[in-house]
Amino acid sequence: MTGLFGEIFLSALLFGAVTAAIPLLLAGLGEQMSEKAGVLNIGIEGMMLAGAYLGFVGAFYSGSLWLGFLTSAGGGIAVALVMALLCVRIGLNQIVIGIALTLGLEGLTALLHHFQFSRSYPRLPAVDVTVIPLLSDIPVIGPALFRQHLSVYLAVALVFAMGYVYRRTQLGLNLQAAGDKPAALDVAGIDVVRTRTIAVLTTGALAGLGGAFLANVGAGLFIPFITNGAGFLGIVLAMLARGRPVWVLFGALLFGVCLSLTTAMQVAGINIPTDVIQMLPFLAVMIMLVLFGRRASLPAALGIPYERGAR
Amino acid sequence: MSSASSLSVDKRDIVALEGVTKRFPGVVANDSVDLAIRPGEVHVLLGENGAGKSTLIGMLSGLQQPDEGRILVDGEPTAITSPRHALALGIGTVFQHMMLVPTLTVAENLLLGGPWWQRPKTEELEARVAEITRTLGITVKLHARVSELSLGEQQQVEILRAMVRNSRLLILDESTSMLTPKGIDELGALMRRLVEQGLAIVFITHKLKEAAAFGDRISVLKLGRKVGEIPPERFRALGEQVIISEIVELMFGKQKDDPEAAERPVRTIHAEAAPLLQVHDLGVAPTDDAPGLSSISFDIRPGELLGIAGIDGNGQKQLAEALAGQRATAYGSVRLQGATIDALSVGERRERGLRYLTDDRLGEGTVGTFPVSINFFLKQVGAAPFWRRGVEQRAEIDKRAAQLVREYDVRTPSLKTPVARLSGGNIQKVLLARELAEGAKVVIFNKPTYGLDLANTLASRQRIRDTAARGLAVLLISTDLEELLSMCDRIAVIANGLLVGTVENADDARTKIGRLMIGLAA
């Protein structure tokens, strides 16, 4: 009994949940921004992969985790630039381009990895944790939540920063108008294409950071397909969060617990086939969609390229 | 009032159009239009649908650029390149379709458009709005979500937005079309207060009474051309009745050397013949976006061509759809050859010879991606001889389709061409061929020549005349008075879902109908 539900086990479970949640959080926040502005960004999985790969390369060769984050954001933005060009500026189908980008990046990063690292499988050293005084002494949740890498705290802080941007800034208004009634934004004198481009590029940066966290902080290495659907989970989170960053955080933590449980249950040696356990997070997605999917209110112009004067 | 000041002729126009022409594929939307817009004046642009009013507005608000001619702002030739540019020039537009973000509050909508790195200046806005609303005598709920406001309130927000941005010229595009009568009066009063503050207003409408009631200067557009202007001096000198009849003459008057002019052959209709179509006290409940019909009654005898005149959107489509069985009726009865058909479905009515040619040729009339051949038989899908046991008989269909293509002179590359690729005129021929096919007794034409070029217009009209000559009863719904006058035996006028009068097509019909259309007794 104590073996399974003891303090240490629970703490490890929670710690794992947070580590698993951060990439989802970053992907969800990124996707949310695109969707707010009216762009359905299916390519986010590809952006995460680009970020994970470049983030790992950057961190591995420079020896600096933070430089790795920088290159990962650059990788995500590079993929997002393609998306913005094709879907926002030229107005091609967002779903088709998004799928193409994801599949393309899966192949490309796997190939690059094969040539560069398939013999050596290099790893990054374990990351330093930042211990928050006092709070980290709380039993169970203290070690789980307050002995994390600095980037975890920054990611959580980002949730509130995004909330501020959406509710209190001109950019927030512009983004929402671009998604709900782009024509109104256009006649108000704001370039819809530019607004949406900003949103998509930000998504790319956030997705890239999420990928880098997954590879560098979570796993310490890059393997092909490392994101394993994290970007798609981000899309689900963004859809369920109804435009509120804080709901993305809650959702990400929930999925994080599920993902962490799969590891924990394997470790604990519970007699359930691994495949069933690994299915758990996705089962959670389906349950959440059944429960809350109908409440998801999406921007009116989501997925529709803007063309001036078209009615 | 804009009294003595606007009389000074040398006052410079805020905006002037000189010979502005705008073409779209197949249409000339504006043909060499001149327009002078002055401060302190409500300049009414009057014209029917398709007269080119909205295109003109698109060019003033930076959504479109003229192909020829130029726009002068404060006397300087200016290319208005974008909505932002128009706003910067002081041109604010309230579009026909609401341009507010429904999920944002009024204040947020008004703040939209500021530099993105700034925080919205809410306090500044509140002060500014308070000042404007006080002078205009309107109240605006700044913190209500736009989706919770009525259409009239939303419109006030849009006007307010133009004011907040220091517009010198306010353009109102068909702004009364969605308002209640009370809302329209309020808008009129608001416009008056705005011009008193020195603003210039361009007010677009197709309603004559509003033009006469709210305007200082009236320009009449017809088929993309400006056919007349009544300046403020004349406006005040003449009585309202004279103004109205002058505008009627401009809008509906016959033009010289009109190529569409055709002698109407005098036909004799057997007055004693039993009517083919009898409509008695027909009513349709109004919906959110369409007027209802009340107490519509008329008969059409064999060989008779009855016209329905009226300004677009007064219930014409509802009438056609109610007759065809596509719209539920609230009360009343329709008889075809004496037998009541109220309980019959669309298909059964067609089966019995009631045919309806929709004005929505591509949306409702045809399936654009289907080949021409199939579109001839859309309403007979599954029926022999073109389908047998659920299987399409390609040879049978192509044989008959080829006949119809020849007979109706459909210009198509092949029978397999998707119908949407044809021109409007040829799509109309496909529809004509389909609806006039064997068994037709009563045919309803809804705006049959709308959007067609001259040659196809004339061909369609001839086809309709022939239909009546064959002894069928024809109901011709049109917003083109010339068309009705050149073809019909009798013309009924519809206004607000009511038949306000029926006129024999005699010499004085034009004036009588014109007066009925704008709400004056014949």
Side-chain angles (χ1 to χ4, degrees), chain A residues 133-183:
Chain A
L134 297 179
L135 288 176
S136 58
D137 297 332
I138 304 172
V140 185
I141 62 167
L145 302 186
F146 303 108
R147 285 170 192 269
Q148 293 276 8
H149 186 247
L150 183 58
S151 58
V152 172
Y153 309 123
L154 291 178
V156 175
L158 189 64
V159 172
F160 300 97
M162 300 283 271
Y164 180 83
V165 167
Y166 293 148
R167 273 180 294 114
R168 297 257 185 261
T169 71
Q170 198 72 48
L171 178 64
L173 290 182
N174 293 353
L175 287 171
Q176 188 166 346
D180 275 323
K181 188 129 190 182

Side-chain angles (χ1 to χ4, degrees), chain A residues 168 170 176 180-181 188-189, chain B residues 84 98 103 111 115 118 120 165:
Chain A
R168 297 257 185 261
Q170 198 72 48
Q176 188 166 346
D180 275 323
K181 188 129 190 182
Chain B
R84 171 181 280 270
M98 291 298 168
T103 50
L111 289 163
Q118 277 181 5
R165 289 166 175 241

Side-chain angles (χ1 to χ4, degrees), chain A residues 164 166-174 176-177 180-181 183-191 198 306 308-309 311, chain B residues 62-63 81-84 87 95 97-104 108 111-116 118-120 161 165:
Chain A
Y164 180 83
Y166 293 148
R167 273 180 294 114
R168 297 257 185 261
T169 71
Q170 198 72 48
L171 178 64
L173 290 182
N174 293 353
Q176 188 166 346
D180 275 323
K181 188 129 190 182
L185 186 66
D186 194 11
V187 298
I190 301 284
D191 194 325
I198 291 172
Y306 180 67
R308 181 178 285 173
R311 282 187 181 144
Chain B
L63 290 172
T81 50
S82 68
R84 171 181 280 270
L87 286 172
F95 290 92
H97 305 277
M98 291 298 168
M99 283 291 186
L100 297 172
V101 184
T103 50
L104 295 178
E108 287 170 333
L111 289 163
L112 212 55
W116 66 269
Q118 277 181 5
R119 280 198 58 182
R161 175 164 66 186
R165 289 166 175 241

